[in-house]
């Protein structure tokens, strides 16, 4: 089995406190260590408890704590006899590209609907009593557009389909799981699923009751300001926004042409393609959670099964949406194979290279990019990663990573400034200039690109 963990990274050296993790911009806001959460000034959720959790417990349970078990260690414990392993996608039993055939999963889903299908099948067969996932909330009630909740029926589950690039946290569902006996599945991005498994190691109730984990591949998480930014660019007052769909589906258009859609309080709506928005280039990192720059898991390596978008042709042009799926638990591998042979799922087995190809940009950012970022991380807690610090990159690539990091940081400040002065143009004009510079650097178009081509070789993108 290929393994990419540096053994020197296998042990903890020092216990870090929650306050240090938060101050070091390493708190992703999952809420696994907290009783309650609050918004910070940048539109992220942060622990709001007065007291620090016990030091050792916190250090072993926070997904960004350098003392906690890493993804390789958790996956080795959970899937010791996995039939395959790959340094990019972890241990696994089977991998596929495809979609749900049973209606309405694909139609309702952001991609091929497989996440909701697997969650529904677990509920339908009685393997679990509830599924913790993210559904629309009432923004008028507590200012949140989305939140985790536990669905107990197929109907409830289906109303929570689709990807939410919005801050969410686990406190309320963990409370409910602790209070109400039963078996639960949890859907989440990789760091949230890691948090659940770290919690399962220290909390016997969670260990017994969270029986299944469904991971979502993840590029990075956005702040709540992204909704505000969409609203201001679509000419809507954020106070009038009642619902948001980050990726409204249109079968006539390629799946990777994301289109944001807002519903307003008078029943009207507004929509725009992401690439027409000043901050709509996902790769540039606008309004990104700072902790995401210190993560090395793209595909949810600790989850029983994880799902992403098949961002390769011909699938990315198919507006109906197509998933890639990596199955790690034997129980789920059997369940999926049965459904495939019963004609309920359209799936083609693929290898690790195929999965990695669909996430090429994300993997580069979390391997080469992370290795480079680790060489210049200065302040606060030093994250303990499976990637070794290295600056062995072409100059132009280094500039791309520097620029993404700067955009991620400065976008929060510029947004705050624009909001404070009630001058949205401060943000949008700045964002458009940054985007032009970033795209010239990355894609070599325009005068700057041609100049860069002369002085630096064009790196792989
Ligand atoms: C922040 C974020 C970043 C992502 N980045 C990538 C990426 O870089 N590459 C890639 O291929 N895919 C990425 N995805 C996953 C992708 O957007 C789809 O969610 C995935 O392909 C599953 O599609 P589906 O049609 O099977 O899901 P659906 O059938 O639509 O079901 C989605 C399920 O996930 C739940 N859910 C939605 N948002 C969240 C959330 N924030 N936290 C926890 N549960 C949630 C829903 O409640 C629902 O149960 C990302 C998702 C998120 C939330």
């Amino acid at each position: 089995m290929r393994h990419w963990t540096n053994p020197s990274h296998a042990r903890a050296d020092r216990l870090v406190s929650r306050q240090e993790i938060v101050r070091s911009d390493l708190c992703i806001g999952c809420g696994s260590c907290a009783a309650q959460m609050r918004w910070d000034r940048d539109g992220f959720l942060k622990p709001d408890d007065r007291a620090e959790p016990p030091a050792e417990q916190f250090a072993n349970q926070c997904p960004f704590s350098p003392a906690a078990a890493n993804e390789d260690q958790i996956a080795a414990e959970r899937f010791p006899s996995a039939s395959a392993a790959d340094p990019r996608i972890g241990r696994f039993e089977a991998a596929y590209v495809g979609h749900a055939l049973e209606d309405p999963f694909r139609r309702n889903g952001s991609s091929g609907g497989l996440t909701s299908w697997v969650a529904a099948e677990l509920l339908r067969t009685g393997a679990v009593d509830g599924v913790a996932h993210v559904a629309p909330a009432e923004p008028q009630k507590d200012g949140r557009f989305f939140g985790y909740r536990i669905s107990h029926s197929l109907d409830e589950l289906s109303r929570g389909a689709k990807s939410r690039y919005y801050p969410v946290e686990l406190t309320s569902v963990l409370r409910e799981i602790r209070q109400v006996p039963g078996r639960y599945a949890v859907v989440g991005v990789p760091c949230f699923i890691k948090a659940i498994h770290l919690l399962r190691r220290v909390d016997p109730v969670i260990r017994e009751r969270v029986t299944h984990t469904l991971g979502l591949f993840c590029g990075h998480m956005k702040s709540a300001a992204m909704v505000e930014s969409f609203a201001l660019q679509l000419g809507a007052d954020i106070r009038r926004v009642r619902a948001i769909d980050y990726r409204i589906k249109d079968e006539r258009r390629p799946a990777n042409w994301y289109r944001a859609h807002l519903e307003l309080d008078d029943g009207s709506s507004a929509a725009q393609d992401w690439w027409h928005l000043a901050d709509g280039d996902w790769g540039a990192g606008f309004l990104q959670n700072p902790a995401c720059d210190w993560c090395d898991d793209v595909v949810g390596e600790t989850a029983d099964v994880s799902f992403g978008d098949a961002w390769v042709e011909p699938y990315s042009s198919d507006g109906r949406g197509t998933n890639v799926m990596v199955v790690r638990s034997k129980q789920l591998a059997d369940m999926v194979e049965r459904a495939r042979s019963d004609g309920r799922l359209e799936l083609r087995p693929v290898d690790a290279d195929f999965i990695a190809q669909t996430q090429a940009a994300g993997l580069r950012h979390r391997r080469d990019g992370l290795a480079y970022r680790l060489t210049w991380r200065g302040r606060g807690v030093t994250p303990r990663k499976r990637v070794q610090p290295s600056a062995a990159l072409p100059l132009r690539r280094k500039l791309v990573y520097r620029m993404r990091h700067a955009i991620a940081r400065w976008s929060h400040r510029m947004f705050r400034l624009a909001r404070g002065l009630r001058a949205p143009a401060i943000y949008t004009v700045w964002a458009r200039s940054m985007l032009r510079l970033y795209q010239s650097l990355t894609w070599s178009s325009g005068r700057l690109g041609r100049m860069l081509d002369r002085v630096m070789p064009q790196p792989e993108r």
Side-chain angles (χ1 to χ4, degrees):
M1 182 178 287
R2 281 165 79 195
H3 219 255
W4 59 299
T5 299
N6 180 333
S8 70
H9 276 197
R11 257 189 27 253
D13 46 3
R14 179 174 93 77
L15 301 183
V16 294
S17 68
R18 181 162 70 191
Q19 207 175 53
E20 284 177 284
I21 288 283
V22 172
R23 281 202 193 126
S24 306
D25 272 348
L26 288 175
C27 175
I28 195 70
C30 67
S32 67
C33 65
Q36 49 189 4
M37 304 286 282
R38 60 168 171 82
W39 289 112
D40 74 5
R41 60 186 185 169
D42 290 330
F44 293 113
L45 291 161
K46 292 284 150 61
D48 193 27
D49 305 344
R50 288 238 169 107
E52 274 276 328
E56 189 156 352
Q57 183 185 317
F58 174 78
N60 288 320
Q61 109 180 47
C62 168
F64 282 83
S65 157
N70 70 23
E71 288 79 351
D72 281 347
Q73 293 163 326
I74 298 169
E77 272 172 23
R78 303 204 61 235
F79 318 113
S81 53
S83 58
D86 178 273
R88 298 157 300 180
I89 65 168
R91 292 168 181 253
F92 65 103
E93 285 297 325
Y96 304 92
V97 60
H99 58 266
L101 286 172
E102 288 176 314
D103 211 35
F105 297 102
R106 191 185 199 190
R107 188 160 43 87
N108 281 354
S110 275
S111 184
L114 289 178
T115 314
S116 295
W117 185 90
V118 169
E121 188 69 358
L122 290 171
L123 265 183
R124 200 185 61 78
T125 56
V128 299
D129 305 297
V131 176
H133 67 140
V134 170
E138 294 266 336
Q140 305 90 308
K141 222 168 73 189
D142 63 357
R144 299 190 193 186
F145 281 91
F146 299 100
Y148 261 96
R149 69 144 189 242
I150 298 185
S151 287
H152 297 275
S153 71
L154 300 184
D155 185 44
E156 271 182 295
L157 191 64
S158 99
R159 278 185 272 122
K162 301 217 113 181
S163 305
R164 329 296 191 179
Y165 308 118
Y166 187 84
V168 289
E169 45 90 2
L170 291 160
T171 55
S172 63
V173 294
L174 287 173
R175 201 174 306 125
E176 192 173 333
I177 291 171
R178 287 190 178 105
Q179 278 165 2
V180 185
R183 281 161 305 168
Y184 297 89
V186 177
V187 184
V189 290
C191 52
F192 277 49
I193 298 297
K194 181 183 180 189
I196 291 285
H197 289 302
L198 291 172
L199 200 52
R200 287 176 83 245
R201 290 169 135 220
V202 295
D203 183 331
V205 176
I206 297 296
R207 181 161 60 242
E208 185 196 308
R209 295 184 186 170
V210 177
T211 52
H212 295 79
T213 47
L214 279 58
L216 300 173
F217 291 14
C218 185
H220 61 254
M221 292 167 73
K222 298 285 190 193
S223 92
M226 199 76 196
V227 183
E228 270 184 75
S229 169
F230 285 170
L232 71 87
Q233 292 181 71
L234 268 62
D237 184 331
I238 183 66
R239 289 167 300 193
R240 294 192 47 218
V241 177
R242 289 292 164 265
I244 168 155
D245 188 337
Y246 286 88
R247 287 168 63 175
I248 193 154
K249 227 172 195 173
D250 182 344
E251 298 192 357
R252 295 159 304 179
R253 289 157 44 106
N256 55 0
W257 291 11
Y258 285 15
R259 188 167 174 79
H261 182 270
L262 304 179
E263 266 175 47
L264 306 181
D265 56 357
D266 61 358
S268 64
S269 63
Q272 183 55 282
D273 293 342
W274 277 54
W275 71 61
H276 290 311
L277 299 169
D279 46 8
D281 181 330
W282 188 277
F286 287 98
L287 300 172
Q288 177 197 296
N289 189 314
C292 299
D293 260 351
W294 311 103
C295 162
D296 57 20
D297 182 1
V298 175
V299 298
E301 294 174 43
T302 67
D304 292 314
V305 55
S306 45
F307 310 87
D309 291 295
W311 290 149
V312 286
E313 292 299 346
Y315 306 106
S316 39
S317 287
D318 185 341
R320 292 168 299 175
T322 309
N323 282 117
V324 279
M325 168 165 70
V326 180
V327 192
R328 301 192 178 79
S329 97
K330 287 207 164 57
Q331 184 209 1
L332 288 189
D334 292 344
M335 185 182 101
V336 163
E337 267 306 316
R338 266 197 312 276
R340 183 175 167 232
S341 52
D342 291 347
R344 301 168 66 203
L345 300 176
E346 171 65 46
L347 296 177
R348 179 169 74 81
V350 293
D351 60 12
D353 286 343
F354 183 94
I355 301 286
Q357 213 188 329
T358 68
Q359 307 299 315
L363 283 164
R364 264 198 307 277
H365 189 73
R366 303 278 174 83
R367 298 292 186 272
D368 301 353
L370 176 57
Y372 179 50
R373 287 189 292 281
L374 286 169
T375 64
W376 40 268
R377 183 177 165 92
R379 69 192 188 95
V381 173
T382 304
R384 185 182 292 274
K385 299 285 70 168
R386 297 173 294 170
V387 172
Q388 290 300 293
S390 166
L393 285 175
L395 177 59
R396 189 157 171 197
R397 197 74 211 159
K398 288 183 184 171
L399 289 177
V400 168
Y401 291 130
R402 290 267 182 187
M403 178 120 203
R404 270 187 205 157
H405 188 76
I407 288 178
R409 293 254 141 169
W410 276 93
S411 51
H412 301 300
R413 294 173 189 152
M414 296 307 288
F415 198 86
R416 273 200 327 261
L417 184 69
R419 192 201 279 133
L421 296 177
R422 294 175 193 272
I426 292 179
Y427 176 72
T428 50
V429 169
W430 171 84
R432 284 199 194 283
S433 330
M434 287 300 109
L435 186 63
R436 254 198 306 279
L437 197 57
Y438 170 79
Q439 289 179 336
S440 300
L441 204 51
T442 313
W443 302 104
S444 214
S445 63
R447 209 178 323 149
L448 176 67
R450 285 194 296 279
M451 189 190 79
L452 288 169
D453 272 345
R454 277 201 297 278
V455 293
M456 302 172 217
Q458 167 70 354
E460 193 197 354
R461 287 171 183 125

